[in-house]
Amino acid sequence: MQSYSFESYGQAMAPVFDAINDDPEEVAAIVAFLRARAGDGPVLEAGIGTGRVGLPLAEAGVELHGVEISEAMAEQLRAKPGADKVELVVGDMNEVDLGREFSMVYLVQGTFGSLLSEENQRRFLATAHRLLAPGGRLVIETMEVDETRFTHDQYVATSLLDVGYAVLSAAMREPGTQVLSIQNIMLGAHGIQVFPVKFRYYTAEQLDGMAEDTGFTLVERCVDWGASPYEKGDLNHVSVFEKR
């Protein structure tokens, strides 16, 4: 997907993002997990999107700041009740100057993978390290790729299926750069819609290595937001790092 950009993703996904990710129980678990580890200072969500997690976290009493690169996603957030409780900045998470320290920085879903090179991922870790107060926490949710899905570095699969629609996902990966491109194709009564996604995948070991090099220590890893124990090889995990 040569023409893919953050803005193309945002424009395609913003109108449907909350509907696709409509899971109140998951959001409640995320908020409880983050609130328990937030510390006493302000918290930053990198890639806050439509505010799916950030708004309820702010409603729970956390002083929340958010950075979002897509104006289309930011518009969705601004239109929601409680948006005034979030200090929102539109821009690149690696370039904006927030002018303060945070007790926690977090990224949910595949936000860290949206940085499409190891260089940019390491750059973000350095940015987070600079923004965090001493002993501050960095929380990263990861969804690793399932190697069994690929044939010749590609796959086609049914991602969602309901009475009124079906979503097919066509994916191709570049092993050398660890970049996965997915075109999600929704078939429904209103025709065909496409939702492109591109991200750089990584393993838990690779994440730990980059974090260690940047001045972080892994203090906790769970398989989900309910803090279920992680076992080596689990594809989904939530990692908590502490600034050294």
Side-chain angles (χ1 to χ4, degrees), residues 9 13-34 45-60 64-68 72-83 86 88 106-111 140-143 224-225 238:
Y9 168 81
M13 292 298 295
V16 299
F17 184 85
D18 289 334
I20 292 173
N21 294 280
D22 184 19
D23 190 340
E25 290 186 5
E26 181 189 42
V27 171
I30 297 172
V31 169
F33 185 99
L34 293 174
E45 179 173 358
I48 193 170
T50 65
R52 182 181 74 101
V53 172
L55 288 174
L57 187 59
E59 187 65 32
L64 193 77
H65 298 244
V67 176
E68 174 55 48
M73 293 289 238
E75 285 178 5
Q76 294 287 323
L77 188 158
R78 293 190 192 104
K80 293 180 178 180
V86 176
L88 176 64
Y106 72 90
L107 306 91
V108 298
Q109 289 189 317
T111 303
I140 299 177
E141 182 181 14
T142 296
M143 292 164 280
D224 56 28
W225 294 105
V238 179

Side-chain angles (χ1 to χ4, degrees), residues 5 19 63 71 94 119 126 132 138 144-145 161 166 180 198 222:
S5 67
E63 181 186 341
E71 179 60 39
N94 275 335
E119 178 184 0
L132 283 166
L138 171 65
E144 296 187 31
V145 298
L161 186 66
L180 180 63
K198 196 170 186 177
C222 313

Side-chain angles (χ1 to χ4, degrees), residues 111-133:
T111 303
F112 186 68
S114 70
L115 301 165
L116 296 176
S117 68
E118 180 179 344
E119 178 184 0
N120 282 338
Q121 289 177 347
R122 287 181 176 274
R123 184 182 173 201
F124 171 77
L125 292 171
T127 298
H129 193 274
R130 173 175 53 81
L131 291 173
L132 283 166

Side-chain angles (χ1 to χ4, degrees), residues 34 37-45 57 62-66 87 101-106:
L34 293 174
R37 294 157 180 80
D40 298 326
V43 169
L44 173 66
E45 179 173 358
L57 187 59
V62 173
E63 181 186 341
L64 193 77
H65 298 244
E87 289 290 333
E101 288 186 333
F102 298 90
S103 62
M104 183 174 73
V105 175
Y106 72 90

